[in-house]
Amino acid sequence: MTIYNFSAGPAVLPKAVLEKAQSELLDYKGSGMSVMELSHRSSWFEDIIKDAENLLRELMAIPDNYKVLFLQGGASLQFTMVPLNLAQGKKALYVSTGSWAKKAISAAKALDNVEVEVIAACENDNFNYIPELPKEVDPSAAYVHITTNNTIEGTAFQTIPDYGDVPIVADMSSNILANDYKVEDFGVIYAGAQKNIGPAGLTVVIIREDLIGDAKIAAPMLDYKIQADNNSLYNTPPTFAIYMAKLVFEWVKEQGGVAGITKKDQEKAGRLYDAIDNSDMFQSPVAKDARSITNIPFVTGDADLDKKFNAEALAAGFENLKGHRSVGGMRASLYNAFPAEGVEALVDFMAKFEQENGGK
Ligand SMILES: Cc1ncc(COP(=O)(O)O)c(C=O)c1O
């Protein structure tokens, strides 16, 4: 049976990447060692991390005045590192568009000398749309934090706000490399790797150099300046995850870069949204103008029927389709590596299920 993995993360990886890793697993480039066994100070690993950075720079057209950091601690640690480094003694502005945004807000609020203000929110409507943002914000604020794609709720920012000198900080965990964003529109971009970049354990941070600053940070590991000055090698980085990210970046390049991938992602998502919109049984709980192309929740409106669908889908090889526990229903995460055939198979399965369960 073919298994299609709709997980929101850790998520499906390109098969070609897994095969390449397998072929190099025991002997990396004649070294007689696995990448997992290489010193992070070896020239082999130095090449891997440099290649990974250069590929990401090329894919995202990252300008020279931005640093690329390969860190650990997940996107969740960035919820703390961002305000700790950028907003001490200042005001930090947040847009609350989902569960992860709320966690980012709580982490910033936990810091003593950061003043947190939520400038727009949509929790009253279960976060099912992207709220309108104020035209202007306090020019003395350290940043405006947004979550470009809300993994759990299935919404995404379609345009990136511009507040002049107040930089936009983005949690891009679930749509990095899936949208043709311009890095210049952001001061900081961060993402946990385990959706569109590689295995869990790696966090990518792209930060404009002038924002690195020299705030006094008691914990060196949490200090962007120390991490940047040491080219992400202040301590032992997640070497194997960085190697896998490099292979994924090579794969993205082969797919026509971010533009090529985005087109395919849009087609995959469009196919599923069409099936949902044309069905009498399934609905999308998300406002049409806020739909994510990477995380697509859908429901029948009947919790028992959702449960039945999930059980039958799982038995048919559709893994991890069950919606997040806070939303219920179903959620298809269609990241870059998710194959178009998997979407076709799901759409066929949905039509069959609808027919068999009293639908059209
Ligand atoms: C948008 C978003 N932010 C943050 C996180 C948390 O990431 P991590 O588990 O890497 O800390 C996730 C994880 O799914 C996410 O989807």
Side-chain angles (χ1 to χ4, degrees):
M1 179 169 68
T2 308
I3 298 294
Y4 291 112
N5 180 9
F6 292 87
S7 170
V12 59
L13 285 165
K15 194 152 176 250
V17 164
L18 294 174
E19 284 166 354
K20 171 94 174 160
Q22 184 182 42
S23 76
E24 293 183 327
L25 191 71
L26 297 183
D27 181 6
Y28 181 70
K29 298 211 161 143
S31 66
M33 295 173 273
S34 167
V35 170
M36 280 179 269
E37 300 168 305
L38 297 176
S39 162
H40 61 295
R41 309 278 176 207
S42 67
S43 58
W44 286 294
F45 186 71
E46 266 177 20
D47 285 348
I48 290 172
I49 195 167
K50 253 192 245 144
D51 287 352
E53 173 174 344
N54 289 337
L55 280 158
L56 187 62
R57 283 188 178 278
E58 186 183 336
L59 288 171
M60 293 182 71
I62 301 174
D64 289 345
N65 63 326
Y66 284 73
K67 290 274 187 211
V68 174
L69 305 177
F70 295 115
L71 307 181
Q72 300 186 59
S76 300
L77 188 57
Q78 295 311 306
F79 295 166
T80 296
M81 277 179 79
V82 165
L84 192 63
N85 282 264
L86 271 64
Q88 291 203 56
K90 294 189 188 160
K91 202 188 243 186
L93 310 180
Y94 282 78
V95 182
S96 182
T97 49
S99 310
W100 290 113
K102 267 177 79 177
K103 286 198 169 147
I105 292 164
S106 306
K109 280 187 175 163
L111 297 175
D112 282 341
N113 57 350
V114 176
E115 190 191 333
V116 174
E117 192 189 320
V118 176
I119 57 167
C122 52
E123 185 164 12
N124 287 347
D125 296 306
N126 300 321
F127 294 123
N128 62 10
Y129 66 103
I130 298 289
E132 200 173 321
L133 303 190
K135 294 271 171 296
E136 283 169 25
V137 297
D138 181 344
S140 69
Y143 57 80
V144 173
H145 181 283
I146 63 171
T147 312
T148 50
N149 187 84
N150 297 283
T151 323
I152 294 174
E153 297 80 6
T155 61
F157 278 76
Q158 314 293 317
T159 52
I160 302 303
D162 177 358
Y163 290 118
D165 289 342
V166 181
I168 303 295
V169 172
D171 176 355
M172 211 180 270
S173 294
S174 49
N175 70 345
I176 192 165
L177 297 175
N179 280 66
D180 238 347
Y181 292 130
K182 277 203 190 72
V183 173
E184 297 90 309
D185 291 344
F186 303 88
V188 182
I189 291 169
Y190 63 86
Q194 64 274 19
K195 300 163 197 296
N196 260 341
I197 294 179
L202 169 66
T203 311
V204 172
V205 177
I206 301 166
I207 179 165
R208 218 173 64 206
E209 278 169 357
D210 62 288
L211 296 173
I212 291 179
D214 46 16
K216 292 274 165 292
I217 314 287
M221 285 294 289
L222 304 187
D223 189 335
Y224 285 136
K225 185 156 172 31
I226 287 181
Q227 296 287 5
D229 287 349
N230 288 279
N231 296 318
S232 309
L233 293 166
Y234 177 71
N235 76 327
T236 316
T239 53
F240 195 73
I242 293 170
Y243 159 74
M244 290 296 291
K246 186 200 90 146
L247 298 185
V248 170
F249 297 155
E250 284 169 351
W251 176 84
V252 172
K253 200 172 157 182
E254 284 162 18
Q255 308 305 303
V258 176
I261 278 277
T262 302
K263 189 166 169 285
K264 284 184 198 161
D265 286 347
Q266 280 166 345
E267 283 164 8
K268 287 185 294 185
R271 184 77 182 93
L272 181 52
Y273 281 122
D274 282 349
I276 294 168
D277 291 344
N278 292 329
S279 149
D280 288 333
M281 179 177 278
F282 301 103
Q283 305 124 45
S284 158
V286 166
K288 260 196 176 159
D289 62 357
R291 287 174 165 183
S292 162
I293 60 166
T294 43
N295 306 98
I296 303 178
F298 55 98
V299 295
T300 63
D302 170 344
D304 289 336
L305 203 55
D306 288 350
K307 209 167 156 194
K308 183 164 191 260
F309 180 89
N310 278 320
E312 290 182 18
L314 188 60
F318 300 101
E319 284 283 338
N320 296 307
L321 249 187
K322 194 161 177 262
H324 189 271
R325 58 191 180 281
S326 64
V327 177
M330 286 67 73
R331 172 180 51 167
S333 292
L334 305 181
Y335 296 123
N336 293 351
F338 191 90
E341 312 87 79
V343 181
E344 289 309 319
L346 175 63
V347 165
D348 288 349
F349 180 83
M350 287 163 69
K352 192 164 147 270
F353 182 87
E354 185 166 345
Q355 229 168 32
E356 288 170 1
N357 289 275
K360 62 180 176 188

